[in-house]
Amino acid sequence: MNVTVERIADSQVRLQIAADQEEHRKAIERAYRKIAREIQVPGFRKGKAPRSMIERVYGREVFVEEANRSLMDDLYRRAVEQEDIIPVGEPALDAVEPDPLSFTVIIPVYPTIDPGDYASVRVEQVDAAVSDADVDDLLEKLRIAQSPWIDPAEPRRPKDGDQVTVDIQIMDGDEEFQPKNEDAVFVLGESNLLEELRAAIDTLVPGESTSTDILFGEDDDRYSEDDPRRGKSMTYNLTLKGIKEREELTLDDEFAKSFGNAETVAELRERVHANLHAERTRDARSEVVRSITDKLNELATLEIPAPMIDDAVEERISRLKTRLQYNGASLDAYLRQSGQTEEQLKADVRPAAGADLRTSLILRQIAELEGIDVSETDLESEIEEITSGAPQELEMREAYSQNQYLRSALRNDLFDQRLTDRLIEIATEGKGAVINAFVAPDLPAEENVEAGEVVDADEPDDATSEDSSSTSSATESA
């Protein structure tokens, strides 16, 4: 076998493979023996016709085609192993010469990644300090969020802060634009309502109805480009069904006991401060990691073959299906609601999937260069630390021992932490990502910061996922 390798654009390899003459001759001989058993030639019993007679009737090509069919697969497999090529998609046959056999295939391969001078990347630290005003703001949001809704003492028109229940019918000319939305609930000043709708609702008392025409201009940036209302005038028919106002609670010790998992307001403030400080520290670290990965993307050079991006898109769609199923929905219902086909959805997510894949490949390459890995010993040590002294220690150990998904997730978390720690160390020259970072008090687990429901009042994003979103996929393929 003679093999010639040529790297071409888009992380592809052109592989030219030629069979040895003797190897090809033996393959044709094997093909003859196989075909001769089944073929019928006039004047001869089945399987008894000599080779010369079969070739005269059917041509030599019948043997060559059969030989090449099996030989090409074998030669391709051996060539890929010999040249240490890692295909990431199916090969495409580019040219074939049947006799003697030679052929050319185009193979998408794992990309060559040049991370550039990643050690030169520098970023600024982020301050995670929490002020008294920050705590006051979060406590106020908690107080408002926990205040119950009650009916106003007298019938009146709505005002800011009210919760309103409305029936909404949208008409496109004489036709209903979409099914009537009954008992829709909004909080005025907080819910995302069109200005024209808010103005119309403000004129009503419960039980009254009104209509308003809204022009959705072609250049109005309040609406997305694919909004089906764009360029049209729609009639909104509204009925105000009810109004509720908040019975605002007092921020006192009783409130702290009921909603803050604390005995006093002072203790609640301490818990909120600690929890907010921990959140802000995670956010700050994530911000630094994002800055680093943005700079690494600017430095790196690589071409990602289309099949790898295809796989990344399919993985995103699969995760979406899982989330929808978890919430009792389906992808078909989601597509109907968004007015998309599955192919359009895939086209929409492709740029983001490609960008995340690019980042994960760069980080995997840097991890390899930096010697970052998680061994079985490391994993077992982490499991020991997590489970030791836990209320269900034996059950947890058994779960980590038997469940490969849990082990893989934990391995990914460890890898992400080590990689991002190293990137931060390089990019901040050892100073660390965060100024004024939160340090958890050295207390038993059950006495540590617990006021998660307090932070939920502000609904901050889970910053911890930001560090690992790009690196975990690199771990899985490492």
Side-chain angles (χ1 to χ4, degrees), residues 190-205:
E190 298 176 20
S191 299
N192 187 20
L193 267 177
L194 294 172
E195 296 172 8
E196 297 89 342
L197 286 185
R198 169 64 196 273
I201 291 171
D202 283 349
T203 67
L204 304 174
V205 295

Side-chain angles (χ1 to χ4, degrees), residues 91-139:
L93 191 61
D94 193 42
V96 180
E97 288 293 335
D99 195 8
L101 175 62
S102 66
F103 59 99
T104 302
V105 290
I106 306 295
I107 312 169
V109 296
Y110 192 88
T112 299
I113 304 164
D114 178 7
D117 186 12
Y118 67 89
S120 68
V121 168
R122 296 292 179 269
V123 295
E124 295 296 323
Q125 294 174 285
V126 175
D127 193 344
V130 174
S131 68
D132 288 343
D134 296 328
V135 176
D136 291 339
D137 181 61
L138 190 53
L139 283 173

